[in-house]
Amino acid sequence: MAETPRPRVNAKSGAVTRDSVLTAALEIVDRGGVEGLSMRRLAEAVGRDPMVVYRHVPNKAAVLDGVAEMVFAQLTVDPTDADWVTQLRTVARDFRRLALRHPKVVPLLVTRPLSTPLGQRPQAVLRPLEDVLALLTRAGFRGPDALHIYRALFGFLYGHVLNELQELVERPEETDDVLRLGLHRLPLADFPLLRGLASDLAAYDGAAELERGLDILLAGLAAILPHPSR
């Protein structure tokens, strides 16, 4: 997946655009998280008076929506792919790569669109939905079933990337997995299964977990949803 080139403020002409303001905001969030973003800091980043920034984005909420929009714009779906399962796997892998490239933006990707009615969301945010629906209806699924597959896929992806990015190891220097994950703090009698899986938990591999989850999800959906080709 080719990353969309980021626009830059033209230092020579002094041109400031919505894209250049949002690019600066994305860079601020990438460095310091959402809590590091303020309208004052954003104005400093583009080298302008805050009023110039307000001409392009009316408030911080609009900036956060725009940051999510910029990242979603980098996610592409090929609705003409004849193999819907392979295409959805590609989309899932690309979404994970975007999340790992912009880990501090992930909470915005998950929550910001939900704060706006569907029809008022930016087209870049809605485009993956439209293209996945097109992919699946071309494959022969009914519209409601195509929507169900989209919701199941992205619900899984949001949960996966949040889990992967927040996975913490208490004592990375330890070789014993129970101690490494801090599971020794849990009473063995109350949590025997969790402690028994210490080695599996310590061997967490985000890419492998994604593929395993997709195996289960996509095989299950293909098996239970009506499809004209069967």
Side-chain angles (χ1 to χ4, degrees):
M1 177 188 62
E3 183 173 1
T4 303
R6 295 183 182 181
R8 298 283 181 178
V9 175
N10 188 319
K12 185 175 180 180
S13 68
V16 177
T17 65
R18 180 176 182 271
D19 280 349
S20 64
V21 170
L22 293 179
T23 294
L26 175 57
E27 291 173 351
I28 291 172
V29 175
D30 277 341
R31 289 195 306 269
V34 174
E35 62 276 11
L37 177 67
S38 68
M39 298 302 282
R40 177 187 59 78
R41 189 166 295 172
L42 182 55
E44 292 173 353
V46 297
R48 294 293 182 272
D49 183 271
M51 293 309 298
V52 175
V53 173
Y54 281 114
R55 290 176 195 155
H56 299 283
V57 282
N59 49 48
K60 184 176 178 179
V63 176
L64 297 178
D65 289 337
V67 168
E69 177 187 352
M70 289 196 77
V71 176
F72 268 116
Q74 299 174 45
L75 184 66
T76 59
V77 181
D78 179 4
T80 66
D81 193 334
D83 187 341
W84 67 273
V85 171
T86 297
Q87 180 59 207
L88 291 186
R89 282 186 180 276
T90 299
V91 172
R93 293 164 185 159
D94 286 350
F95 184 83
R96 176 176 176 268
R97 278 193 285 269
L98 274 175
L100 296 180
R101 190 179 302 147
H102 303 286
K104 294 178 181 177
V105 181
V106 167
L108 296 180
L109 303 183
V110 175
T111 62
R112 289 307 300 178
L114 299 178
S115 66
T116 306
L118 194 63
Q120 296 178 26
R121 295 173 195 173
Q123 290 189 13
V125 174
L126 293 175
R127 178 49 52 190
L129 169 57
E130 179 69 18
D131 286 346
V132 167
L133 293 177
L135 170 74
L136 295 171
T137 53
R138 282 192 177 100
F141 289 100
R142 297 186 312 113
D145 290 334
L147 181 59
H148 178 74
I149 293 173
Y150 171 88
R151 286 172 171 164
L153 175 66
F154 275 83
F156 164 70
L157 288 177
Y158 292 155
H160 172 84
V161 297
L162 286 172
N163 185 69
E164 181 174 358
L165 292 171
Q166 295 177 18
E167 191 75 20
L168 297 177
V169 174
E170 181 177 345
R171 298 165 70 176
E173 74 283 356
E174 288 286 352
T175 56
D176 181 274
D177 292 328
V178 171
L179 295 176
R180 202 164 163 258
L181 298 176
L183 294 176
H184 62 289
R185 301 178 184 279
L186 301 178
L188 179 58
D190 294 334
F191 296 93
L193 297 177
L194 188 58
R195 289 188 53 159
L197 288 169
S199 295
D200 298 275
L201 291 165
Y204 180 86
D205 180 326
E209 287 287 328
L210 178 73
E211 296 300 326
R212 180 59 175 151
L214 289 172
D215 287 342
I216 296 169
L217 176 66
L218 295 176
L221 289 169
I224 66 173
L225 292 177
H227 193 285
S229 66
R230 294 204 301 269

